[in-house]
């Protein structure tokens, strides 16, 4: 009996040893598999880049009539990549399109899509610079997303060509839908298809773009009705796409070309945070290609990770509270206002009565006093990113013209005494700062490029 138990014990230890060895082998090989992804030619992020658009180009996808707050079409039919990037950030929306080439859709099937490239950062910048010299449609302005988060949203890598030699390929249909029969490719997967034929005299090969696509599966009826009736979509809200604030992607990076554009992007992000549109961690980093002398260094997987870490947006620095500065600034403004109020009231001037409300409009979100008041909730940001201060002593029953005169005089004092750039903002027949019609100062000076996003900005 003793020897039998001894043999059982030896047998158990032998089995345990084999199991332990198998587990160690699997863990080791899982690590190898994971490490295989840490290569210069692979990436765990996807980039959606913006290209300059020309309204006179046959491949022009069309833009909404209303591009959102202070996104200005200057009227020369040209739209810079920076302009389109800021439109996306300001509207909090990635537009899904049919990606026209000529007058033909390059996205097949019933679903428009957002396109991404799997190229690592260094390869993307190098390719963009090289292709831009050839006047190809690309730029170094884009958004970077974690591949895993986009995959969860429904993004997939594309399919280059079909294996069925008898497949019938849909024609361009005068710019309309290009849909395969289900027997060749399910309609739900057709957004992934890209033409590929390396064997003809002029090969068709887009594999260099390492493309992924995210299909829009929502209702297209409103969009299609507007296009059919008017040939244009009324606003960004009516374009199919994805609201980034509502999606579970909280590690978005921004890639830009020029150093001068960093503060423009930061301005847009901070305004969205203070408006409560996006969370503080929605946008994580801004990489500026112009600051990188040698992109070859960042072909290395780990060096790219270091670059991202070095490029993190110091949002916490902007959101730090300075209660003393905030309330002392508020008290100073209210003191100056009491002087202005008494002066204008005492003149006895006659004003044509017009109902409405007027606010101080602070232009610069980076001003330390403005930030202090924002972080204490003393200021509001309306739908057009105007940073407003409502003076409680200002009676909205006063004629709107009188209110405007008071605030204009007050802003002159604030600019002189407190060195804060500001002006007035008023709304007629309403106390809501988001209503129209509205009137405002026009003296933004060197801050105009922060506030206004112009189509020719490049």
């Amino acid at each position: 009996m003793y020897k039998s138990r001894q043999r059982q014990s030896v047998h158990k230890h032998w089995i345990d040893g084999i199991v332990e060895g198998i587990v160690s082998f699997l863990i080791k090989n899982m690590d190898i598999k994971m490490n295989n992804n840490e290569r210069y030619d692979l990436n765990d992020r996807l980039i959606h880049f913006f290209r300059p658009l020309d309204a006179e180009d046959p491949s022009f996808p069309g833009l909404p009539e209303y591009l959102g707050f202070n996104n200005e079409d200057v009227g020369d039919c040209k739209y810079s990549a920076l302009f389109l990037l800021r439109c996306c950030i300001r509207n909090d929306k990635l537009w899904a399109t049919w990606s026209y080439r000529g007058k033909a859709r390059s996205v097949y099937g019933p679903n428009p899509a957002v396109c991404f490239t799997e190229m690592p950062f260094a390869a993307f910048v190098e390719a963009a610079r090289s292709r831009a010299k050839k006047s190809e449609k690309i730029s170094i302005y884009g958004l970077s997303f974690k591949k895993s988060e986009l995959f969860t949203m429904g993004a997939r890598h594309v399919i280059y060509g079909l294996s069925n030699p008898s497949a019938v390929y849909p024609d361009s249909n005068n710019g309309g839908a290009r849909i395969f029969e289900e027997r060749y490719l399910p309609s739900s997967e057709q957004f992934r298809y890209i033409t590929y034929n390396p064997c003809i005299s002029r090969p068709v090969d887009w594999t260099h773009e390492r493309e992924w696509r995210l299909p829009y599966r929502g209702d297209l009826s409103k969009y299609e009705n507007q296009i059919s009736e008017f040939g244009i979509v009324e606003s960004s809200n009516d374009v199919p796409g994805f609201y980034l604030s509502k999606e579970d992607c909280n590690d978005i990076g921004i890639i830009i070309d020029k150093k001068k554009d960093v503060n423009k992007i930061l301005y847009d992000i901070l305004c969205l945070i203070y408006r409560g549109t996006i969370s503080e961690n929605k946008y994580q980093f801004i990489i500026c290609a112009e600051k990188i002398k040698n992109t070859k260094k960042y072909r290395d997987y780990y060096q790219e990770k270091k670059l991202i870490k070095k490029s993190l947006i110091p949002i916490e620095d902007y959101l730090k509270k300075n209660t003393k500065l905030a309330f002392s600034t508020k008290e100073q403004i209210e003191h100056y206002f009491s002087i202005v109020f008494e002066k204008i009231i005492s003149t006895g001037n006659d004003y044509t009565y017009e109902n409405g409300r007027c606010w101080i409009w602070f232009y610069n979100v980076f001003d330390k006093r403005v930030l202090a008041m924002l972080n204490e909730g003393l200021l509001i940001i309306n739908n057009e990113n105007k940073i407003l201060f409502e003076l409680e002593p200002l009676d909205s029953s006063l004629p709107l013209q009188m209110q405007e005169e008071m605030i204009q005089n007050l802003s002159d004092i604030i600019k002189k005494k407190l060195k804060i750039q500001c002006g007035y903002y008023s709304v007629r027949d309403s106390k809501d700062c988001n209503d129209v019609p509205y009137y405002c100062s026009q003296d933004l000076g060197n801050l105009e490029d922060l506030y206004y996003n112009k189509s020719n900005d490049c």
Side-chain angles (χ1 to χ4, degrees), residues 301-367:
Y301 178 87
Y302 294 102
Q303 289 298 326
E304 179 177 322
K305 297 303 176 190
K306 288 181 181 179
L307 174 63
I308 289 175
K309 189 173 181 180
K310 188 171 67 173
S311 305
L312 292 176
I313 302 170
I315 288 295
E316 63 279 0
D317 292 348
Y318 297 104
L319 304 182
K320 286 179 182 176
K321 289 203 170 190
N322 190 333
T323 304
K324 183 177 180 180
L325 180 62
F327 283 94
S328 67
T329 302
K330 178 178 181 291
E331 289 171 5
Q332 286 175 297
I333 291 172
E334 289 176 343
H335 168 69
Y336 296 138
F337 177 71
S338 65
I339 297 172
V340 169
F341 183 86
E342 291 298 330
K343 180 179 178 181
I344 290 179
I345 289 291
S346 65
T347 61
N349 290 341
D350 190 23
Y351 297 88
T352 301
Y353 187 77
E354 192 174 41
N355 186 35
R357 184 64 158 149
C358 192
W359 296 261
I360 300 174
W361 170 22
F362 293 115
Y363 305 149
N364 191 359
V365 75
F366 301 114
D367 186 283

Side-chain angles (χ1 to χ4, degrees), residues 213-315:
R213 288 178 177 174
L214 172 63
Y216 175 77
R217 308 282 193 188
D219 184 11
L220 293 170
S221 57
K222 185 175 182 181
Y223 168 79
E224 290 174 339
N225 289 340
Q226 288 189 38
I227 292 293
S228 175
E229 186 172 357
F230 306 110
I232 191 171
V233 179
E234 184 178 355
S235 77
S236 173
N237 292 331
D238 299 327
V239 178
F242 303 88
Y243 287 100
L244 295 174
S245 60
K246 296 180 181 179
E247 301 295 345
D248 293 329
C249 47
N250 291 308
D251 187 6
I252 305 175
I254 299 168
I255 300 170
I256 60 174
D257 194 7
K258 305 296 182 183
K259 289 184 286 187
K260 65 182 179 65
D261 299 326
V262 172
N263 277 353
K264 298 174 186 178
I265 300 298
L266 274 175
Y267 171 88
D268 295 341
I269 292 172
L270 285 172
C271 286
L272 288 173
I273 291 173
Y274 282 118
R275 274 171 54 191
T277 302
I278 62 172
S279 61
E280 297 171 14
N281 64 341
K282 179 61 68 172
Y283 292 96
Q284 293 285 315
F285 61 87
I286 300 175
I287 295 178
C288 177
E290 191 177 49
K291 293 181 179 180
I292 299 171
K293 295 179 180 178
N294 183 12
T295 54
K296 291 181 180 179
K297 173 182 177 181
Y298 298 104
R299 291 177 182 176
D300 179 85
Y301 178 87
Y302 294 102
Q303 289 298 326
E304 179 177 322
K305 297 303 176 190
K306 288 181 181 179
L307 174 63
I308 289 175
K309 189 173 181 180
K310 188 171 67 173
S311 305
L312 292 176
I313 302 170
I315 288 295

Side-chain angles (χ1 to χ4, degrees), residues 16-32:
D16 288 346
I18 291 176
V19 171
E20 185 177 347
I22 292 172
V23 170
S24 297
F25 175 80
L26 290 173
I27 290 174
K28 183 179 178 182
N29 278 274
M30 283 173 65
D31 286 340
I32 290 173

